[in-house]
Amino acid sequence: MSTIRTIAAVAACKAARWTLRLLHRGGTALPGKVAMKFDPEVLRTVSRGMKILVVTGTNGKTTTCRMLEHALTRSGVRCLANKSGANLLSGVTAEFVCNADWLGRPKTEYAVVECDEGALRQVVPLLSPEVITVTNLFRDQLDRYGEVMHTLEAVRTGVKTVPETTLCLNADCSLTSSISLDVPNPVRYFGLDVPVGEQKETEISDARHCIRCGTAYEYKYYTYAHLGGFYCPKCGYSRLDADVAVTQISSLSAAGSQVRMRWPGGERDTSISLPAVFNIYNAAAAVCAFTAFAGQLREKYGTQLDPEIVFDALSDVESSFGRMENFDLDGVPVQMILVKNPAGCSQSISYLTQLNQDYTLAACLNDRTADGHDISWIWDADYEKLSEDPHLKQVLVCGDRAEDLQLRLKYAGIPEERIELVPDFASMLEKMRSSKRPVFAMPNYTSMLELRGLLSQATGKKAFWK
Ligand SMILES: [Zn+2]
């Protein structure tokens, strides 16, 4: 039943969004805030009866959501997704309200929701999702060592508000998998059963010590950062067997990966159209979430959703904005890799150094509100690995804090004469256009928006918020 309050909230939200669109503004939070003024719990009404997957975690949320959305589309159903990074309560509310009719009834049956870790406790009690996936937990830009524990606690608190929702947790992340220790929810795990490359122990900075007894973890194998086959030699707390596990990585390239995956339906080879190890994790997360979701729907509603379709989706999913997104800049291939924190940045660097092809790196760093003003995290990212890469021929540096980044790269051991400071993003675009080799752009959030804006104009791709 819709109340007058709901109808008022829906009308106000839609009007606010139209106004913003007329003004050519891509605002995502304001219409939701307006709606919540009329009805603080309007999200509950406008999502009633919908079947929902939620994804949270430090890195990989957007891409995992994109994979799930693509799997649902391939299943022939329409689904709602909050694409433009509106992952707080106000943004999620706006997406759902605008998806509802004037009486607040949802127009689609399915939704894939990206949710900020801190907002989970506000969002999920209103959505009552079938499945919540937690991709991983790392220190984010501004965090110091203690703060990742606050994030973990925030996620746990959110999960506890929906005790019947199935959780899909990263088995290789000791922080993420510990969420299962004291929640009543049914849990499934995903992970990699095999190591990736060589690992230096210094990379394990976010979760060195056992979450139960404080003893330093030991590892049977590493994948990246603090992820891998961890175990505590004292109390026995350890990585659990994964329900969805990558059992072999057959190839890694700029075009994607080939892996072998064990899943509830057996074991199979699968291709993932997005490159890098972190996207293998995102793929495993998507398979875990989608199979759990299909199982829930069959049990609860008798709905038949073929779980295996998720593999088809992985093989041709397209990248989301700025995340391994490809551009053709007048014949120069450009791949854009958004980096926001030390773990993600180090992994992106590993990816570049594994490719064995000459390239130009375009590194961009801003320090605006959405980025976090403190950019000291660049000192924790493994830029040193770049200095050992003979294929890195040129580095272009740009953004509000370009000089800090330039200094960081010099300290990492990259020869000074190979690093060029570029004064603005328009000049950066021209430098990229004249590159003699493929360009990998590694911007942080707002510098990605700026550079992507220019790239999309130059190459005819869609604007960010559409
Ligand atoms: Zn222990």
Side-chain angles (χ1 to χ4, degrees):
M1 270 297 286
S2 307
T3 63
I4 294 293
R5 274 200 316 180
T6 308
I7 294 167
V10 171
C13 182
K14 291 187 184 218
R17 183 177 271 202
W18 280 341
T19 310
L20 288 172
R21 290 270 155 103
L22 280 175
L23 298 170
H24 297 287
R25 298 265 304 276
T28 48
L30 181 72
K33 285 184 182 153
V34 170
M36 287 189 292
K37 283 254 191 289
F38 287 91
D39 180 356
E41 299 210 336
V42 64
L43 181 57
R44 189 191 302 280
T45 312
V46 294
S47 64
R48 187 162 290 157
M50 290 179 75
K51 299 165 177 86
I52 300 170
L53 292 133
V54 168
V55 180
T56 192
T58 308
N59 288 337
K61 290 188 283 286
T62 304
T63 301
T64 306
C65 280
R66 181 54 69 90
M67 289 169 170
L68 289 168
E69 188 194 348
H70 192 45
L72 283 171
T73 307
R74 271 184 159 261
S75 306
V77 299
R78 284 180 58 224
C79 77
L80 172 69
N82 55 333
K83 272 183 205 159
S84 28
N87 62 10
L88 301 174
L89 179 61
S90 53
V92 175
T93 299
E95 287 293 338
F96 276 80
V97 170
C98 290
N99 174 60
D101 67 13
W102 291 96
L103 295 173
R105 293 172 303 203
K107 288 185 203 159
T108 58
E109 197 181 348
Y110 294 87
V112 178
V113 177
E114 173 185 331
C115 187
D116 177 81
E117 303 88 276
L120 199 69
R121 66 177 93 185
Q122 299 169 307
V123 171
V124 294
L126 301 175
L127 289 181
S128 303
E130 318 295 326
V131 177
I132 297 175
T133 303
V134 187
T135 55
N136 48 52
L137 290 167
F138 297 111
R139 270 183 306 146
D140 218 338
Q141 312 104 319
L142 290 176
D143 295 352
R144 288 295 166 260
Y145 290 91
E147 289 173 42
V148 70
M149 300 308 284
H150 289 165
T151 311
L152 171 62
E153 210 35 57
V155 172
R156 199 193 306 272
T157 307
V159 161
K160 281 181 174 172
T161 63
V162 283
E164 283 167 22
T165 297
T166 298
L167 301 183
C168 291
L169 303 179
N170 189 331
D172 304 352
C173 173
S174 55
L175 294 168
T176 304
S177 66
S178 78
I179 292 166
S180 68
L181 288 175
D182 67 352
V183 299
N185 307 58
V187 183
R188 304 263 188 103
Y189 296 93
F190 61 89
L192 269 59
D193 278 359
V194 286
V196 182
E198 295 162 38
Q199 171 101 358
K200 291 180 288 186
E201 209 188 321
T202 51
E203 284 182 39
I204 311 165
S205 55
D206 294 332
R208 257 177 216 287
H209 298 105
C210 176
I211 196 145
R212 285 216 304 220
C213 76
T215 307
Y217 284 123
E218 291 182 11
Y219 281 76
K220 291 183 180 141
Y221 63 92
Y222 298 107
T223 57
Y224 77 91
H226 67 271
L227 309 189
F230 67 89
Y231 65 97
C232 171
K234 189 166 178 210
C235 78
Y237 177 62
S238 65
R239 177 190 188 267
L240 296 168
D241 283 342
D243 303 278
V244 172
V246 172
T247 54
Q248 189 190 324
I249 298 171
S250 315
S251 76
L252 286 164
S253 79
S257 310
Q258 292 284 338
V259 302
R260 191 157 180 80
M261 217 185 269
R262 187 180 70 240
W263 71 299
E267 192 163 0
R268 53 168 287 165
D269 293 315
T270 187
S271 65
I272 302 162
S273 59
L274 303 176
V277 171
F278 50 80
N279 281 322
I280 298 180
Y281 268 105
N282 293 335
V287 171
C288 190
F290 196 77
T291 48
F293 186 64
Q296 290 274 312
L297 296 195
R298 195 173 48 242
E299 249 173 63
K300 279 205 220 161
Y301 313 104
T303 308
Q304 296 299 327
L305 208 56
D306 177 10
E308 201 152 5
I309 220 157
V310 69
F311 292 103
D312 300 337
L314 295 181
S315 70
D316 66 356
V317 65
E318 287 179 14
S319 55
S320 346
F321 289 99
R323 293 155 176 97
M324 292 293 179
E325 194 178 10
N326 296 308
F327 300 85
D328 179 348
L329 185 58
D330 296 334
V332 180
V334 177
Q335 190 166 62
M336 187 176 271
I337 315 168
L338 172 68
V339 294
K340 299 187 290 185
N341 45 42
C345 188
S346 297
Q347 260 306 292
S348 302
I349 291 165
S350 287
Y351 160 67
L352 295 181
T353 58
Q354 277 161 6
L355 292 176
N356 290 322
Q357 61 171 59
D358 290 354
Y359 63 99
T360 294
L361 175 66
C364 314
L365 186 67
N366 280 355
D367 63 352
R368 306 190 189 160
T369 305
D371 302 308
H373 300 297
D374 180 357
I375 48 105
S376 61
W377 64 266
I378 60 173
W379 293 92
D380 294 333
D382 190 12
Y383 288 103
E384 278 70 14
K385 207 174 249 171
L386 285 175
S387 68
E388 298 153 16
D389 186 2
H391 296 290
L392 175 58
K393 299 299 180 192
Q394 182 190 19
V395 185
L396 305 166
V397 183
C398 187
D400 304 339
R401 302 300 291 268
E403 280 155 10
D404 298 72
L405 192 52
Q406 183 186 28
L407 182 68
R408 173 71 188 93
L409 294 169
K410 270 189 223 169
Y411 266 85
I414 297 170
E416 218 166 307
E417 63 278 8
R418 242 182 269 171
I419 309 173
E420 184 179 347
L421 202 60
V422 182
D424 53 62
F425 287 96
S427 316
M428 180 60 119
L429 189 75
E430 292 320 309
K431 292 271 175 198
M432 288 162 67
R433 203 196 297 269
S434 58
S435 170
K436 295 180 192 70
R437 45 195 97 78
V439 177
F440 292 93
M442 231 167 59
N444 69 335
Y445 190 66
T446 65
S447 59
M448 182 273 281
L449 296 185
E450 266 184 84
L451 186 60
R452 196 193 178 284
L454 293 171
L455 266 170
S456 67
Q457 270 176 13
T459 61
K461 277 213 179 190
K462 275 188 294 183
F464 181 71
W465 52 272
K466 280 186 182 153

